[in-house]
Amino acid sequence: MAGYDDRDGVIWLDGKMVPWREANVHILTHAMHYASSVFEGERAYNGKIFKSREHSERLIASAEALDMPMPYSVDDIETAKEQALQASGLKDAYIRVLVWRGSGDDMGVASAQNPVRMAVAVWPWGAYYGDAKMQGAKLDIAEWKRPSPETIPVHAKAAGLYMICTISKHKAEARGCSDALFMDWRGYVAEATGANVFFVKDGEVHTPLADCFLNGITRQTVIQMLKDKGITVHERRIKPEEMADFEQCWLTGTAAEVTPVGQIGDYTFEVGDLTREISQDYEQLVRT
Ligand SMILES: Cc1ncc(COP(=O)(O)O)c(C=O)c1O
């Protein structure tokens, strides 16, 4: 497969459809230097983007958190995504929406003079964790911690929050793992580098309280699915040593969908019935 900058097709860029290879920015783009960038990852199934408006609303909230005045409304973003999806000719696809501070009069940390720009790119993206979907992914435990909400806007889907994700995922992959699980700054279990985490014990589900990391749209969907089935869900602070007593584990995310986890550090989990059921139910839900 060619690199992501070297493909056929078009990218929606600031209101225009631009040939894929020409969707470029200047080297003095503010976002490249200071991480003034927010984004969304979405999936379309059978030509329909799952929870599209929720993603557009979160994008605007993320931009506001970074003091970037959005030049586009939710409806504008919906239209842009629809146009990009149509142009791709794909029915099942991944949609990446990016909003960033471009180049302009400012080259210092402040960027009020620089335009806020937006792009939408669409491409095919299969299972995020490869065959882990069946066997259970193996996760490393990250050395970095998810930061306190007093440190950084933790609920924004912002590029700057992924710096420790990339470092941790590189280390995890070098150790033969698919991903890394973060603890938070207090030492409680938080999330993976691009997905939320769930555990099962005695027929009940436990998931970390989303008080210092992204409260994933898939996470919220799965919690509702579980509640609709009459399963008790505990959103609470989870200590890492509790993982010894959990029987099953899965990750949720737009890219990850519902991915079973077989191992986190030295803790092991079975790919059990509830994990399989939720994974299948989610696959069905996104296509209805
Ligand atoms: C850090 C992080 N946490 C959680 C998630 C899951 O969020 P969602 O279910 O909204 O895709 C993602 C993926 O977007 C992510 O990047």
Side-chain angles (χ1 to χ4, degrees):
M1 192 67 147
Y4 276 95
D5 58 346
D6 184 20
R7 295 182 174 201
D8 296 332
V10 287
I11 287 178
W12 188 103
L13 181 60
D14 300 324
K16 293 194 190 82
M17 288 297 182
V18 176
W20 193 282
R21 293 177 184 82
E22 292 166 31
N24 300 319
V25 295
H26 194 271
I27 201 73
L28 294 182
T29 292
H30 192 271
M32 291 250 301
H33 300 252
Y34 305 111
S36 47
S37 159
V38 296
F39 64 101
E40 275 304 318
E42 314 182 28
R43 276 192 192 269
Y45 299 91
N46 291 337
K48 187 168 177 284
I49 302 173
F50 184 64
K51 304 253 172 179
S52 187
R53 282 194 89 80
E54 282 94 327
H55 281 281
S56 298
E57 283 161 8
R58 184 169 73 183
L59 182 70
I60 291 177
S62 297
E64 275 172 5
L66 269 68
D67 199 29
M68 297 198 291
M70 271 290 278
Y72 302 103
S73 65
V74 169
D75 286 337
D76 295 337
I77 301 167
E78 291 298 295
T79 305
K81 292 191 292 193
E82 209 43 57
Q83 286 174 355
L85 182 61
Q86 289 292 330
S88 77
L90 297 167
K91 293 281 177 224
D92 286 0
Y94 180 82
I95 297 107
R96 171 59 55 92
V97 190
L98 184 70
V99 170
W100 73 99
R101 284 281 191 181
S103 49
D105 291 345
D106 281 329
M107 203 41 225
V109 171
S111 67
Q113 309 298 320
N114 293 359
V116 176
R117 305 185 58 188
M118 186 166 97
V120 186
V122 175
W123 64 84
W125 205 351
Y128 187 64
Y129 293 109
D131 60 4
K133 195 131 205 188
M134 310 308 296
Q135 300 158 0
K138 186 177 167 198
L139 268 58
D140 191 20
I141 295 182
E143 286 160 21
W144 295 92
K145 307 281 184 236
R146 276 272 158 235
S148 149
E150 292 178 340
T151 314
I152 201 162
V154 292
H155 298 294
K157 195 164 165 62
L161 283 154
Y162 287 84
M163 182 174 70
I164 55 174
C165 297
T166 301
I167 305 171
S168 303
K169 193 151 175 169
H170 284 178
K171 194 161 251 178
E173 288 180 348
R175 290 175 172 160
C177 297
S178 308
D179 202 356
L181 183 75
F182 283 102
M183 303 304 134
D184 70 18
W185 90 103
R186 298 160 297 199
Y188 296 118
V189 174
E191 60 167 354
T193 65
N196 295 118
V197 67
F198 286 75
F199 300 98
V200 182
K201 189 186 168 195
D202 299 333
E204 298 189 345
V205 171
H206 303 255
T207 191
L209 200 62
D211 61 359
C212 66
F213 55 82
L214 198 71
N215 182 9
I217 290 170
T218 321
R219 174 185 183 276
Q220 295 171 50
T221 303
V222 164
I223 289 173
Q224 195 53 53
M225 283 164 57
L226 290 160
K227 288 184 175 167
D228 290 347
K229 281 176 175 290
I231 294 168
T232 305
V233 182
H234 304 275
E235 287 184 71
R236 63 176 181 88
R237 298 201 172 112
I238 296 173
K239 294 186 184 143
E241 56 269 28
E242 288 186 64
M243 289 195 281
D245 296 325
F246 291 138
E247 297 145 9
Q248 301 176 42
C249 175
W250 68 74
L251 299 176
T252 63
T254 296
E257 299 171 306
V258 176
T259 299
V261 174
Q263 191 175 343
I264 302 176
D266 292 333
Y267 303 107
T268 54
F269 311 94
E270 54 156 337
V271 180
D273 290 345
L274 185 58
T275 306
R276 283 212 190 84
E277 194 178 319
I278 289 297
S279 177
Q280 283 160 12
D281 287 359
Y282 182 77
E283 270 175 44
Q284 231 166 39
L285 178 72
V286 295
R287 291 182 182 279
T288 50

